[in-house]
Amino acid sequence: MSLTDTASLHQRIRADIEARILGGDWPPGHRLPVEAELMTQYGCSRMTVNKAVSALADAGLIVRRRRAGSFVARPRIHSAVLDIPDIQSEITARGEAYAFRLLSVRRRAPARGDADEAELAGGGALLALRGAHLASGRPFALEERLISLRAAPAAAEADFALVSPGAWLLEHVAWTEAENRISAINADGPVAEALALDPGAACLVVRRRTWRAGERITNVRLVFPGEAYELVARFGPGQA
Amino acid sequence: MSLTDTASLHQRIRADIEARILGGDWPPGHRLPVEAELMTQYGCSRMTVNKAVSALADAGLIVRRRRAGSFVARPRIHSAVLDIPDIQSEITARGEAYAFRLLSVRRRAPARGDADEAELAGGGALLALRGAHLASGRPFALEERLISLRAAPAAAEADFALVSPGAWLLEHVAWTEAENRISAINADGPVAEALALDPGAACLVVRRRTWRAGERITNVRLVFPGEAYELVARFGPGQA
DNA sequence: CAGTGGTCTAGACCACCAG
DNA sequence: TGGTGGTCTAGACCACTGA
């Protein structure tokens, strides 16, 4: 450990629990020990346990419900800072039917000479996917994704014809950091065709990279019809 | 007040102090009462006061120093990571010369029937500006901005030929909340001409609204060449 | 050195809600 | 309805650091 020495007790308890969550020992939905149990585990008073667990709740890592208990939160792509809505919820929220059409999936090594892919792979293999998000049968977004099989080995067994890669990852892999790069392009032939747009129409491109505790998880590139879609981000001066 | 009723005591104490800071009663650098003083003011135990003030420290609104006391934090320069980068710093960071060319500025009432403009104005008048950000003399972004003269009366006297509206506002008006809406458009004739692009070229559009403690400050619409510019946002799962 | 925040305790009562 | 988290108390000792 790193801060096991100088840190205060509630900080160590918090770090301990945080490590189990980020390490995957406690997956999303896992129920934490009740406060009384943690008191005996750490040999301290309830206030101290409560301070540690409440801090994790404030940070959004866990959800606390009276009578039910405390649970590892299902990570939401809905950060306070930049809100890239989950595409499926976005579409169903509009009252449209959502579907994901998987176009291709294959396992491969990182491309030679591509340092970013190599770092993503982390010495393992990659799962490369292409697919389309459909709203009421009409194409809504194109997705190209790479998943590190080292970070998410279970992805090799997942059936992405049934659940979109993004939704699957949200359910199975906790993330601690993400980066979006947003730009605009003119739709070229294949993209225009896939999105049912006129060639040259403006499209919004979001490239997202995701980490869990410093380890790369996935890269995704999403293409949206530019005039029909809008990304919304709401935030304050914030800490970072 | 709003949450004075149902909220817990430490939440009310926190909201109370927060209101004094955001309202300007306690300016940056102001020293807060010591915990013992707050105990008597609110008639509660020190733990309760501590919880409220510590939460404000976590939120970055105040800074606590042993022996010295607790002080209202000096607002940081631009949250750096998240918000859309200040265009001037962005350009100078690339080693290019920055300039802002003011195209028009006038004072006017909110447009009839435009509820958003009416809310922005808050019963006062608006300052409407148009201008271009230049990098090494070449157009880099177009800006259309509305400033609430009720929220920022000093803007009426500012010389936006010398300093861009965004930079001026950052210097003179603290903000507590902002919202970005990002989309893509094809450049029409005037926009293409102003940005020196081919007609139809994909452009990134950022519309930002800014608040201070619930009061609207400014609306801005920025148009960037889509393929030459990229917005980057990095973030964690976050609280809200 | 003394005043400040940082931490911790061993209780207590309460609100809530899933079983 | 009982178990859970939410809150609060009235103390206590300690670490730090500015006057």
Side-chain angles (χ1 to χ4, degrees):
Chain A
M1 305 278 180
S2 58
L3 44 74
T4 318
D5 310 314
T6 67
S8 60
L9 179 51
H10 74 262
Q11 284 174 328
R12 275 181 282 132
I13 296 175
R14 176 183 169 162
D16 194 21
I17 296 176
E18 202 165 348
R20 299 191 205 214
I21 294 174
L22 297 181
D25 299 341
W26 290 353
H30 176 86
R31 177 172 171 167
L32 273 69
V34 299
E35 294 192 350
E37 167 65 21
L38 291 172
M39 285 173 61
T40 67
Q41 275 187 31
Y42 292 99
C44 64
S45 76
R46 188 175 155 219
M47 277 295 289
T48 304
V49 164
N50 183 276
K51 185 162 187 169
V53 183
S54 294
L56 287 171
D58 288 342
L61 234 65
I62 69 172
V63 175
R64 314 198 77 183
R65 276 178 307 179
R66 286 181 148 100
R67 165 73 199 187
S70 301
F71 303 84
V72 176
R74 315 217 166 246
R76 292 168 303 155
I77 275 225
H78 194 112
S79 108
V81 182
L82 191 73
D83 170 30
I84 305 287
D86 174 51
I87 296 176
Q88 175 162 1
S89 350
E90 182 82 356
I91 290 176
T92 55
R94 297 186 186 194
E96 298 194 82
Y98 172 79
F100 180 76
R101 179 191 296 154
L102 184 63
L103 299 175
S104 73
V105 52
R106 71 189 184 94
R107 183 194 182 108
R108 66 167 171 85
R112 297 165 58 92
D114 188 323
D116 189 71
E117 279 196 14
E119 188 186 320
L120 171 61
L126 297 172
L127 200 62
L129 301 113
R130 288 178 53 251
H133 299 266
L134 310 178
S136 301
R138 291 175 290 98
F140 179 80
L142 298 181
E143 170 168 338
E144 293 175 16
R145 184 183 290 270
L146 293 175
I147 300 173
S148 163
L149 286 171
R150 170 143 306 180
E157 317 300 333
D159 184 353
F160 296 116
L162 298 177
V163 56
S164 76
W168 186 90
L169 283 167
L170 275 181
E171 280 299 314
H172 292 81
V173 185
W175 60 279
T176 61
E177 200 177 4
E179 178 193 85
N180 285 322
R181 313 182 82 88
I182 304 164
S183 57
I185 61 165
N186 291 102
D188 61 8
V191 168
E193 187 175 359
L195 288 176
L197 299 172
D198 294 328
C203 292
L204 207 55
V205 178
V206 177
R207 288 184 296 144
R208 187 185 307 148
R209 301 193 293 171
T210 314
W211 288 257
R212 178 187 57 204
E215 182 190 29
R216 298 280 297 271
I217 302 174
T218 185
N219 282 6
V220 62
R221 178 173 184 272
L222 294 161
V223 182
F224 300 89
E227 313 219 30
Y229 193 69
E230 194 170 53
L231 296 172
V232 180
R234 195 158 176 140
F235 51 92
Q239 48 272 25
Chain B
M1 306 274 182
S2 58
L3 44 73
T4 317
D5 310 315
T6 67
S8 61
L9 179 52
H10 73 263
Q11 284 174 327
R12 275 181 282 133
I13 297 175
R14 177 185 169 160
D16 194 20
I17 297 176
E18 202 165 347
R20 300 193 204 210
I21 295 175
L22 296 180
D25 299 340
W26 290 352
H30 176 87
R31 178 174 170 167
L32 274 69
V34 298
E35 294 193 349
E37 167 65 22
L38 292 171
M39 285 172 60
T40 67
Q41 274 188 29
Y42 292 100
C44 64
S45 77
R46 190 175 154 220
M47 279 294 290
T48 303
V49 165
N50 183 275
K51 186 162 187 168
V53 183
S54 295
L56 287 171
D58 288 343
L61 237 67
I62 70 173
V63 175
R64 312 199 78 184
R65 277 179 303 169
R66 285 183 151 99
R67 164 72 201 190
S70 301
F71 303 84
V72 176
R74 313 222 166 245
R76 321 132 172 273
I77 293 299
H78 228 214
S79 65
V81 186
L82 235 300
D83 91 352
I84 306 304
D86 175 49
I87 295 176
Q88 174 161 2
S89 353
E90 183 81 357
I91 290 176
T92 55
R94 297 186 186 192
E96 298 194 82
Y98 172 79
F100 180 75
R101 178 190 297 154
L102 184 64
L103 298 175
S104 73
V105 51
R106 69 189 186 94
R107 182 193 183 107
R108 66 167 172 84
R112 295 165 60 90
D114 188 322
D116 190 71
E117 280 196 13
E119 188 185 320
L120 171 61
L126 297 173
L127 199 63
L129 302 113
R130 288 179 54 251
H133 299 267
L134 310 178
S136 302
R138 291 175 292 97
F140 180 80
L142 299 179
E143 171 168 336
E144 292 174 17
R145 184 183 290 272
L146 293 175
I147 300 173
S148 163
L149 286 172
R150 169 143 305 181
E157 316 301 332
D159 184 353
F160 296 116
L162 298 176
V163 55
S164 76
W168 185 90
L169 283 167
L170 275 180
E171 281 300 313
H172 293 80
V173 186
W175 60 279
T176 59
E177 198 177 6
E179 177 192 86
N180 285 324
R181 312 183 82 88
I182 303 164
S183 58
I185 61 164
N186 291 102
D188 61 9
V191 168
E193 187 175 0
L195 288 175
L197 299 170
D198 294 328
C203 292
L204 208 54
V205 179
V206 177
R207 288 184 296 144
R208 187 186 308 151
R209 300 193 293 171
T210 314
W211 287 258
R212 177 188 55 206
E215 181 190 30
R216 298 280 298 272
I217 302 174
T218 185
N219 281 7
V220 60
R221 179 173 183 271
L222 295 160
V223 182
F224 301 89
E227 313 218 30
Y229 191 69
E230 195 170 53
L231 295 171
V232 180
R234 195 158 176 142
F235 52 95
Q239 48 273 23

